[in-house]
Structures are given as structure tokens and as C-alpha cells.
Amino acid sequence: MTSATAPVDPRRFAAGTAGGDEAPAREPHFRPDIQGLRAVAVGLVVADHVLGWPAGGFIGVDVFFVISGFLITSLLVRERSRTGRISFRAFYARRARRLLPAALLTLAATTAAAWFLFLSGRFQETVHDVVWAALFSANIKFARDGTDYFEAASAPSLVQHFWSLAVEEQFYLVWPALILLAFAAATVGRRARPGGGFRRFPAAALCVLLGAVTAASFAWSLHATAASPVTAYFSTFTRAWELGVGALVAVVATQLQRLPSLPAAVLAWSGLAFVLAAAFTIDEGTAFPGGAAALPVLGAALLLAWGGAPGGPGAQFALGSTPAGFLGAISYSLYLWHWPVLIIAGTLLTPDSVIVHAGVIATSLVLATVSFYCVEQPVLHTNWLLPSHRSVDAARARPVFVRARNVGLAAAAAALLGVGAVAVGPWSDSGNARAAAADAVAAANRTAAAQGMPSLTPLQQDIQAATLATEWPEDLEPGLDELPGYLSEQWGQGCLHVTEDNVGKCLYGDPDAEQSAVVLGDSFAAAWLPGLRQELVGKGWSVQSLTYGVCPNITAPTLYGGQTFTDCIEHRDWAIEHIVSRPPTLVVLSHSWRANLRPGADVGATYRGGLEEVVRTVQASGAKVVILGAPPGADSLLTCPTSLNGPDDCLRGPADTFASQMASEQEVAAATGVRAIDPEQWFCSGGRCPTIVGRTPVYADGLHLTAEYSERIGPDVVAAILQP
């Protein structure tokens, strides 16, 4: 799964309503194969989120959209055919009865967990997200965050999976009215042609109107996915066609059922194959939804049309099996619970271990089961929001409440045992952690001096002390609660993405200074600027920023949102031309390996070869060129700190790609005659990289330096850059 510090791909938070229709199992229209299809969809999404496999498991949400469109449209059409009208009040009351209780419980529990575990800043962010989720607007909020570069490495929201619930509810604000409109058109057509037969006109009118809406949404999805992938992913308008496909299947279901059993079964099995194939062939690099979503949507449509055919996948050994039926029944609650459980587990425990994976899945299943039996089912067997003439049969409701009581008591007993185990567990008192760490470093320094080894610099002493700290300092600057939104404020002034329009604004120091430096690269290069600016401008230099986010110093094209990042290509050409036409004294090149390359590209070779070409081109200006490696990274202060841990719980080594990148840059330096600087000495001690050094957070997000730490190490960095 995507780590807490990596750019967040929105598709990994695709959690549809997982059965958010109103048809309980006792209805005569209940189909076990659809319940089994829900189980497949929820299993794919949970496996993708928890295990990271299959990579395209997020397509399960598309399957849920198709199921929802099918079931809701079937209910509305039957109501209109049976009563001659559609009750909007009854429709939205059914939606509220079905969705709200479990959703509100999850939101309340998530808020309580965030209050207990997280520090103030992240807790406030969680509350903000919960409000958006409760108002069925989460997709709008997360689309905005996803297109905001400054939010790319922020902590994943505990309720980010609510976006798809918002899409459905926004869709259903207009869907009943469209169906009424189609019936009205059919009535007019029947009156105009009395011999045409009543039945044909409603079906035809529904197909024409719903088909037009579906086609328009699909066309927009193709366009929007190419133009703005993140926004398209969350948009109701780009997803409406998926629900529309399910709706069209519902309208023509009677005609589809006339197909003979053998071809119907073959088509149904093909549909299941399409869904599974999509999960294993689509991945995070696929432009989505767009045309790629057609494969799982088509597969779900085929299953809805013929999944119950004799010999089809709805058989008792497949989608119609008891385990599949149970998983499908609890799928809505499983969707609601699995994501916050996963994020909280990743915060408290070592991620990506078999034990954590198993624990997350087991805990999610338990919570979903309790939610289903103790919340979902009891509410559906009460009179809440029901009209007086449709009161619930008390005799049928009684077993539901008995089961809810038994499940609730068992869950409460298990919870008490867990709380008791934690309460009696060993807890240590770390005492004055900062003083103890400083004493340990001083002792190590004295030992090194006695052995004739060079003493640690003050910065290295502070770094080593930070690796021993066990308590979060209260006097951090900036404070932990200031880090959410820190990068937005730091770079929001406009000098992250430097172009011809703002290049003058991003020049620091005297423009006529005798010595000048240019910083070229991505956001990691921009994060060095506070320290470089402080030291070089103080020495009489001018410093020009030519950075651009997610745009490394390589000649190969990169991808952004699954598409070729043409803005980066144009920026790089312009920036190099700017350097060549106005030769500076010094050019500092810095970038990370985080930009996406074309599928199948050799990352090491591409970055090495591309950087060498850029270095040679810049060398033509006559400027001194220095390659300054990107920082090694650390655990994110946006996600790691909790009320239950300390800095020692957030220690880790350099990023996995750090050693390879440094070796690659040394090769480029040797080939071109420039100097490459490995920055690890300013961040790590003994292979461990702390998140704070002294009173200063090192990174704003585990990746990009805080301005304060950049300034703190500025003298060391500039001394290394200016070294002859």
C-alpha cells in the first residue's frame, strides 16, 4: 500500500458503499450471486489496501457502483410500475436507514480514536475530514487535496474512503427524478400512439434517457481522465456512467433473461473473468477511470445480467456459497472499518509485516460483523423513518435484536480483555530523555577522543543525541501541530514552480552581485533554498531559484497523473536556456528519484543518463556545477508521532533508493568532472535518521526539509558546495 509519506494515489482509497442498496436478504428479489459479487469486490479492495496486491484491487469500487445502479434502479422502477409514482421521501428515508447508522458509528469511533492517539494538529485535520464525510462531500475535499501539490505527502486521512459514498449520494440526488422523467415521456408517447403498448414505452424511454446520461458521463470520463486524472477519479460526473450501466441492465433485465442457459452462463463466467483480469492488469500507473474502467464495469454488468443462470458463477460453490454470502452481507461495514483500522495500525505498529496484515484483516472483519449485526440489521428492523402504514413486524424483528445482543456482549467481553491486557502491560518512565541522550553522546565523544578519533561536530553530536531521545520535546520550532500545511505556507509564495512569469520574484540578494548561484531541480532542491539563501546572500552572492515540483534534472520524460508531464519538459528546456544565456558562477543540481517514469524504464539508468546530459549542457555555460544529493528521508512527523510513542519509535534508516541515487550521482560526477555531495552526514548517525534534531523538526513531511533545519545546516552545506 502507499506509505504515509508517499504521494497519495487516490484510487487506493476507493471504498464504495459496498452494498448500499436497500434490499434486505428477505426480499423476493434477493440474488445470492450479487451478494457474492459484493464479496469479490470488497475482497479485492481490502487486499489491495492491506496487502498491496492485486495492484488493481481498487476496481472493486467500480463493481460496487454498477451493483448500486442496478439495485437502486430496479427498486425505483418497480415502485413506479406498482404504485404509479416514486416517493422521494421514502427513497431517501430508505437510503438513510441503510447507510447512516453504520457510517455515523464509524465516523464517531474514528474521531474518538484520533483524539486519543493523535496530537492536536492531526486530530484537527481528522475532525475536518469527518465533517466533509458526514456531509457526503468527501470526494470534493479529497479531489481538492489530491490536486494540491503541497498535500501530496500529507498523512492519509482516516476517512478518505468515504469519497465513493459521497459520489453515490450525489448521484442519487438526481437519479429518481430522471427515472420519473423517463416514465413521463413514456406516458406521453403511449398517449400519442395508443396501440403501441404501455410496457414498451417505459422501457424504451428509460433506455434512451439513461443511455444518454451514461454515454455523456463516459465521454466526459475519457476527457477528464486525460486532462486532470486526480480530479476525474473523485468526480461524480466521471463515475455516473458506471452506475448508469448497472441501471440499464436493470431496465432490460427481463429481456436479458430470455437468453438460453448455456450462453448466459458463459457470459456470466466471462464477466467474473473480466473483473478479476482488471484487478491484475490495472495498476497505479493506469489512467483511471477513463476507458480502463470499462473492463471491470462490463464484467460486473455481465454478472448482474446472467450471474444467476444455471451453471453460472452464482452456483453454491462460487458466488452463491455461504462464505461469499456472509462477506457480501457485511461488505458495507467492512468497507467502512478496514481503512481506519489499517491507518491506525500503521501508525502504532511496524507496517508491512505478516502479523500486522493478518491483524488488520481480522480486526476489520470483527468490527464489520459487530456493526452488521448490532447496528445495520437492528436499525432496518425498527420503525425509524418508516411511514406509519409500514411498521416493522415485531415477531420478525425479535430474533434480530436477540442476535444483536449476543454479538454485542461477546464483542464487549473481547474488548474488555484487550483493554485489561494493555492496562496491566509494562510501561516505562523515560525520565529526562533529552538530558540522558546528551550525556550518552558526551560519553561517546570522550571515548572517541581517548582513542585518538576526531571529535563529533556540534551538529553530529545533536544528531546522535536525537537518535537516543525517547520523549517528544515540547519546545520544537516549528511545533508538531504546525507541520500540517507547513509546506503550503512555505512554498505558497510562488517560488516552488518557477517559470518565466515569476523568475524575477525568485531571485534573492543583489541582482548585480559579482557571484551568483542557481538552484535547479524539483521540490527537494527547493527545500535546500532557505539554508543556501541564508549563507550565500550573507556572503554577497545572489541566489536564483529555477525549481519546479516533481521535475528532476534528467532529459527523459516523466509522468504526472499517468500522463506525460509536458510542463516539466517545457520548464527544463526554459531553465537550462536561462542558465546558458545568463551564466552564473555556480549551479546546484538537486532532485529525488520520486518522479514517475514510463512503464518498464530502468530507473537507475534513466536518472543516471539523464542527469549526465543535463550536467554537460549546463557546463557549457562555464558555471561551476555541483550535484547536491536529496536528503535521505525519515519517518514522517505528520503520521508517526502519537500520544503513545516517542522519537525513538520514529527512527529509521535512509530511504530505500538513497544509496543507489548517491552511487549514481557519484558516477555522473566522475564522468563529467563535477562534484557530487552525499548529504547523509547532516541527517543520520550510525545509519539511523531522526525526525528531530535538538529543537528542530528535520522534515515537514518525512521528505522535504523544514526551512528551520535547512538554515541550521546551511553553513555545513555551503562549505561543502564551495569547497575547491
Side-chain angles (χ1 to χ4, degrees):
M1 76 176 248
T2 302
S3 71
T5 57
V8 177
D9 188 328
R11 71 196 67 200
R12 303 191 65 80
F13 306 108
T17 59
D21 58 275
E22 302 111 308
R26 68 174 184 272
E27 290 292 329
H29 301 284
F30 174 73
R31 284 175 47 182
D33 59 298
I34 295 181
Q35 204 77 311
L37 181 57
R38 285 198 186 106
V40 171
V42 73
L44 288 174
V45 176
V46 172
D48 180 21
H49 286 175
V50 178
L51 307 176
W53 180 90
F58 57 82
I59 59 92
V61 73
D62 303 277
V63 175
F64 282 126
F65 282 150
V66 180
I67 294 174
S68 183
F70 174 83
L71 293 171
I72 296 299
T73 302
S74 297
L75 290 168
L76 291 172
V77 170
R78 283 201 299 270
E79 180 183 357
R80 174 59 176 77
S81 300
R82 186 177 66 251
T83 66
R85 58 189 293 270
I86 291 178
S87 170
F88 287 86
R89 179 187 179 281
F91 173 77
Y92 292 115
R94 290 195 301 268
R95 297 294 294 172
R97 282 165 54 84
R98 178 68 180 91
L99 301 177
L100 282 181
L104 293 178
L105 174 64
T106 305
L107 292 176
T110 298
T111 304
W115 173 82
F116 178 73
L117 291 174
F118 297 151
L119 304 181
S120 176
R122 193 173 180 190
F123 170 67
Q124 293 299 328
E125 281 195 330
T126 301
V127 172
H128 186 236
D129 292 347
V130 164
V131 172
W132 280 90
L135 295 176
F136 299 112
S137 302
N139 61 326
I140 299 172
K141 197 271 183 187
F142 296 126
R144 184 193 67 188
D145 288 352
T147 54
D148 183 351
Y149 182 86
F150 306 115
E151 296 289 339
S154 61
S157 171
L158 289 175
V159 296
Q160 201 155 0
H161 59 311
F162 271 75
W163 75 267
S164 56
L165 187 61
V167 166
E168 284 202 20
E169 295 319 295
Q170 291 162 17
F171 176 82
Y172 289 127
L173 288 176
V174 298
W175 199 242
L178 283 176
I179 292 178
L180 274 181
L181 179 62
F183 271 102
T187 302
V188 172
R190 184 175 65 87
R191 290 173 180 170
R193 297 177 59 187
F198 178 76
R199 287 185 175 274
R200 285 190 299 161
F201 278 101
L206 282 168
C207 285
V208 170
L209 182 58
L210 304 187
V213 172
T214 300
S217 171
F218 181 66
W220 179 251
S221 182
L222 294 175
H223 166 74
T225 301
S228 179
V230 174
T231 302
Y233 193 88
F234 289 110
S235 172
T236 301
F237 300 104
T238 62
R239 297 290 187 163
W241 70 274
E242 301 179 16
L243 291 108
V245 167
L248 287 170
V249 173
V251 171
V252 298
T254 302
Q255 289 74 23
L256 295 176
Q257 292 301 316
R258 296 173 182 171
L259 192 69
S261 297
L262 180 59
V266 170
L267 287 171
W269 281 109
S270 299
L272 182 59
F274 289 167
V275 171
L276 296 176
F280 287 93
T281 58
I282 294 172
D283 58 28
E284 294 176 17
T286 305
F288 204 87
L295 183 60
V297 168
L298 174 60
L302 292 174
L303 282 163
L304 291 172
W306 295 294
Q316 290 187 352
F317 67 87
L319 298 183
S321 66
T322 299
F326 173 75
L327 191 60
I330 67 169
S331 58
Y332 175 52
S333 283
L334 182 56
Y335 261 127
L336 294 178
W337 286 105
H338 86 282
W339 183 251
V341 169
L342 177 62
I343 297 302
I344 291 172
T347 300
L348 298 178
L349 306 171
T350 303
D352 297 328
S353 69
V354 174
I355 294 177
V356 171
H357 292 165
V360 167
I361 293 174
T363 302
S364 300
L365 286 169
V366 169
L367 289 173
T369 301
V370 173
S371 177
F372 177 74
Y373 285 116
C374 297
V375 178
E376 288 187 61
Q377 288 297 296
V379 169
L380 291 177
H381 288 80
T382 68
N383 293 324
W384 180 56
L385 296 181
L386 285 182
S388 57
H389 65 279
R390 290 194 57 191
S391 59
V392 171
D393 184 347
R396 297 184 63 179
R398 189 173 298 111
V400 173
F401 286 96
V402 170
R403 187 184 302 113
R405 181 195 63 195
N406 295 337
V407 172
L409 289 174
L416 287 174
L417 288 175
V419 171
V422 172
V424 301
W427 294 89
S428 62
D429 183 4
S430 57
N432 191 335
R434 183 180 296 181
D439 290 343
V441 172
N445 216 17
R446 289 192 297 270
T447 300
Q451 296 175 353
M453 299 174 63
S455 298
L456 299 175
T457 67
L459 174 62
Q460 291 170 335
Q461 291 184 49
D462 286 348
I463 293 173
Q464 188 171 3
T467 65
L468 303 173
T470 58
E471 292 180 345
W472 295 109
E474 296 181 358
D475 55 352
L476 286 176
E477 181 61 38
L480 295 178
D481 292 342
E482 299 175 59
L483 294 181
Y486 178 94
L487 293 177
S488 297
E489 183 177 349
Q490 177 179 335
W491 289 337
Q493 301 172 5
C495 284
L496 169 63
H497 306 298
V498 182
T499 65
E500 191 172 3
D501 295 333
N502 66 343
V503 64
K505 174 185 175 182
C506 302
L507 174 65
Y508 308 97
D510 183 357
D512 298 322
E514 292 185 7
Q515 294 179 299
S516 58
V518 168
V519 179
L520 178 64
D522 55 14
S523 57
F524 290 80
W528 289 112
L529 273 168
L532 299 179
R533 188 172 68 232
Q534 170 186 270
E535 294 301 311
L536 289 174
V537 172
K539 297 178 184 294
W541 289 58
S542 67
V543 177
Q544 175 69 68
S545 173
L546 293 181
T547 61
Y548 203 90
V550 202
C551 189
N553 298 308
I554 60 175
T555 52
T558 58
L559 305 180
Y560 189 72
Q563 307 294 321
T564 299
F565 194 12
T566 55
D567 288 352
C568 175
I569 297 173
E570 294 171 1
H571 166 79
R572 187 187 306 115
D573 292 342
W574 167 81
I576 293 177
E577 174 60 28
H578 186 281
I579 293 172
V580 173
S581 63
R582 303 170 180 82
T585 309
L586 169 71
V587 176
V588 178
L589 301 176
S590 186
H591 63 240
S592 77
W593 279 14
R594 298 183 63 80
N596 293 321
L597 304 177
R598 295 188 183 281
D602 184 320
V603 175
T606 301
Y607 273 95
R608 183 173 57 253
L611 176 59
E612 183 174 338
E613 289 187 50
V614 170
V615 169
R616 293 190 185 279
T617 305
V618 172
Q619 280 179 312
S621 70
K624 174 184 178 181
V625 178
V626 174
I627 303 172
L628 177 58
D635 215 330
S636 174
L637 289 173
L638 296 175
T639 58
C640 187
T642 71
S643 60
L644 304 178
N645 68 9
D648 53 327
D649 297 302
C650 300
L651 279 175
R652 68 176 176 111
D656 294 339
T657 60
F658 180 74
S660 298
Q661 181 172 350
M662 293 304 100
S664 171
E665 292 177 358
Q666 291 293 342
E667 292 176 13
V668 173
T672 58
V674 304
R675 192 151 44 82
I677 300 173
D678 182 341
E680 184 174 353
Q681 59 184 313
W682 306 317
F683 298 93
C684 308
S685 175
R688 297 188 298 171
C689 308
T691 56
I692 57 172
V693 174
R695 298 178 52 247
T696 308
V698 178
Y699 303 94
D701 56 1
L703 302 169
H704 300 94
L705 298 179
T706 61
E708 289 79 0
Y709 196 73
S710 178
E711 291 172 350
R712 174 169 184 180
I713 64 176
D716 299 80
V717 176
V718 169
I721 289 174
L722 297 182
Q723 179 182 335

